[in-house]
Amino acid sequence: MSRKKIVDCVIIGSGPAGYSAAIYASRADLNTMLFVGFQPGGQLTSTINVDNYPGFPKGISGKSLMENCKKQAKRFNTIIIHKTITEVHFSSQKGGIHCIKIEDEENIVESKGIIIATGSSPKFLGIDKEKKLMGLGVSFCATCDGFFHKGKDVAVIGGGDTALEEASYLSKICKNVYLVVRKNYLRASKILQHRILKKKNVNIFFCSKITEIIGDNFLEGIRIFNEKTRTSQILFISGLFIAIGHSPNTELFKNKLDMDEKGYIIVKKGSTCTNKPGVFAAGDVQDPIYRQAITSAGTGCMAALDLERYLYCC
Ligand SMILES: Cc1cc2nc3c(=O)[nH]c(=O)nc-3n(C[C@H](O)[C@H](O)[C@H](O)COP(=O)(O)OP(=O)(O)OC[C@H]3O[C@@H](n4cnc5c(N)ncnc54)[C@H](O)[C@@H]3O)c2cc1C
């Protein structure tokens, strides 16, 4: 195994967190290498319209936004590599060197600092057209896409905290919200249950599962099946919000960094520092709560500044 030269900063991930970190780190004259991974541009590239990212009064497509981020990072000489990281070795010493293994390569990259921005992945139902109609009525984020369904009927799938929060948010914008729950009870916290049960425009379908997504070019409705009555019905909706959970992309860092019970990387409060010196985490990978492009970009900036200060002190 041969070694390349030691860089200042390796960024793993090319979503808003990764590119923001790259722009800040490269502009600070850190020798910066960014690994794009299996989803170049991150989750936003799977959405057609981003309406809530500041600076774009008419909105912008997710792909264009991320393409702009890439160009901006390139302007400051970030080295962008279209590969996935398959192994990491973090030093436990302050000022120690971290090692990164790249897919299909014998070489390892050595770096003084690492920024982890591997994001998260929404959990899919695993039914037909779910991916095809993403951004065309199928969504994983009410805060992001609820506005497009103002005054219309929508459905939320799930019975946990996230699903009830999504349903509650949508109930303020949409005409009717159909909450489709697999079990005969809600898993969400009592406070959220009380809040949702008071809403007049939220209808809950217990013991039900979605069996079909209807619509060819955009979502038109869903078919749901009630396990108790063994009957099915169609709900005509403009938006389907799948809220059965998110998984942080942290498999690579298991037993190497402190994580919470869901696998999100734990960072020191008010910073992006992990429990390993010189290793920082930004974006969805350390954020089970907000999971927005703007919060990811914000923490990406923080990670680059944290890394710069760390290198300065070493
Ligand atoms: C359909 C959809 C629509 C959305 N719409 C909006 C919206 O309108 N507004 C909004 O604010 N938010 C929206 N979000 C949420 C937003 O996309 C995320 O909060 C944001 O992208 C998270 O950014 P991130 O940089 O943390 O990670 P991600 O965007 O998740 O990117 C993670 C990156 O890490 C890379 N990666 C993972 N593992 C490795 C590895 N081993 N090696 C190298 N690279 C790796 C991936 O390839 C990817 O580039 C939406 C999400 C979805 C799914």
Side-chain angles (χ1 to χ4, degrees), residues 13-14 16-17 36-39 43 52 85 119 144 284 291-293 296:
S14 58
V36 162
F38 59 87
Q39 190 178 30
Q43 292 173 69
N52 54 7
I85 301 300
C144 312
D284 278 14
R291 288 195 303 253
Q292 294 294 295
S296 296

Side-chain angles (χ1 to χ4, degrees), residues 12-19 35-44 46-47 49-53 83-86 117-122 134-135 138-141 144-145 148 246 249 252-253 282-285 290-297:
I12 313 177
S14 58
Y19 276 127
F35 290 90
V36 162
F38 59 87
Q39 190 178 30
Q43 292 173 69
L44 276 190
S46 57
T47 191
N49 243 318
V50 182
D51 244 7
N52 54 7
Y53 199 87
K83 293 271 180 178
T84 296
I85 301 300
T86 53
T118 48
S120 66
S121 306
M134 246 166 94
V138 176
S139 173
F140 293 85
C141 172
C144 312
D145 298 330
F148 301 122
H246 270 77
N249 300 322
L252 196 58
F253 314 110
D284 278 14
V285 77
Y290 303 105
R291 288 195 303 253
Q292 294 294 295
I294 185 74
T295 47
S296 296

Side-chain angles (χ1 to χ4, degrees), residues 2-301:
S2 65
R3 285 180 160 77
K4 289 180 180 169
K5 79 168 187 166
I6 299 171
V7 296
D8 296 321
C9 170
V10 157
I11 297 168
I12 313 177
S14 58
Y19 276 127
S20 299
I23 292 161
Y24 273 79
S26 299
R27 276 191 92 234
D29 246 358
L30 301 184
N31 183 224
T32 303
M33 214 178 239
L34 179 145
F35 290 90
V36 162
F38 59 87
Q39 190 178 30
Q43 292 173 69
L44 276 190
T45 57
S46 57
T47 191
I48 291 172
N49 243 318
V50 182
D51 244 7
N52 54 7
Y53 199 87
F56 301 95
K58 292 182 179 162
I60 183 166
S61 83
K63 279 200 173 86
S64 303
L65 176 58
M66 295 319 298
E67 203 43 52
N68 286 347
C69 290
K70 183 178 177 182
K71 283 184 193 153
Q72 199 171 348
K74 270 187 161 173
R75 179 155 78 92
F76 301 112
N77 300 323
T78 302
I79 304 159
I80 297 171
I81 300 173
H82 281 257
K83 293 271 180 178
T84 296
I85 301 300
T86 53
E87 223 178 295
V88 291
H89 295 284
F90 297 141
S91 165
S92 297
Q93 306 294 320
K94 194 168 178 206
I97 300 298
H98 310 289
C99 301
I100 299 294
K101 176 133 183 30
I102 310 164
E103 63 170 338
D104 307 328
E105 284 198 20
E106 273 301 296
N107 293 331
I108 56 164
V109 171
E110 293 183 321
S111 182
K112 295 175 191 166
I114 306 280
I115 295 175
I116 299 170
T118 48
S120 66
S121 306
K123 286 186 186 156
F124 288 88
L125 295 164
I127 58 172
D128 247 19
K129 298 191 189 166
E130 181 180 25
K131 288 189 179 162
K132 182 186 164 194
L133 295 183
M134 246 166 94
L136 297 165
V138 176
S139 173
F140 293 85
C141 172
T143 322
C144 312
D145 298 330
F147 183 80
F148 301 122
H149 304 282
K150 203 172 176 180
K152 298 180 183 162
D153 293 345
V154 296
V156 175
I157 310 293
D161 281 354
T162 311
L164 267 64
E165 270 168 12
E166 301 275 85
S168 178
Y169 179 87
L170 291 165
S171 69
K172 293 176 207 142
I173 308 172
C174 302
K175 192 171 164 205
N176 287 302
V177 178
Y178 306 120
L179 184 61
V180 182
V181 183
R182 211 158 37 92
K183 303 218 162 81
N184 63 351
Y185 61 90
L186 295 169
R187 275 189 302 110
S189 59
K190 285 281 176 247
I191 182 144
L192 283 172
Q193 291 192 33
H194 290 315
R195 199 189 299 164
I196 215 75
L197 292 171
K198 276 193 214 149
K199 304 264 183 193
K200 294 218 162 36
N201 63 341
V202 176
N203 302 294
I204 308 179
F205 293 84
F206 285 109
C207 306
S208 297
K209 64 175 187 190
I210 175 168
T211 53
E212 188 186 350
I213 291 177
I214 301 163
D216 285 327
N217 299 320
F218 55 88
L219 176 79
E220 289 170 22
I222 53 172
R223 188 187 297 277
I224 59 169
F225 178 75
N226 187 306
E227 303 270 9
K228 218 168 168 186
T229 59
R230 314 295 299 168
T231 54
S232 68
Q233 65 177 307
I234 292 177
L235 302 174
F236 293 99
I237 49 169
S238 68
L240 171 65
F241 293 84
I242 300 167
I244 54 171
H246 270 77
S247 308
N249 300 322
T250 52
E251 196 58 36
L252 196 58
F253 314 110
K254 245 185 193 159
N255 304 321
K256 305 203 168 179
L257 291 177
D258 287 349
M259 294 181 195
D260 70 9
E261 70 285 354
K262 287 186 179 157
Y264 286 90
I265 296 173
I266 296 173
V267 291
K268 201 170 137 207
K269 201 165 181 243
S271 82
T272 59
C273 303
T274 68
N275 62 312
K276 287 279 156 90
V279 180
F280 305 88
D284 278 14
V285 77
Q286 51 82 54
D287 173 15
I289 300 168
Y290 303 105
R291 288 195 303 253
Q292 294 294 295
I294 185 74
T295 47
S296 296
T299 50
C301 152

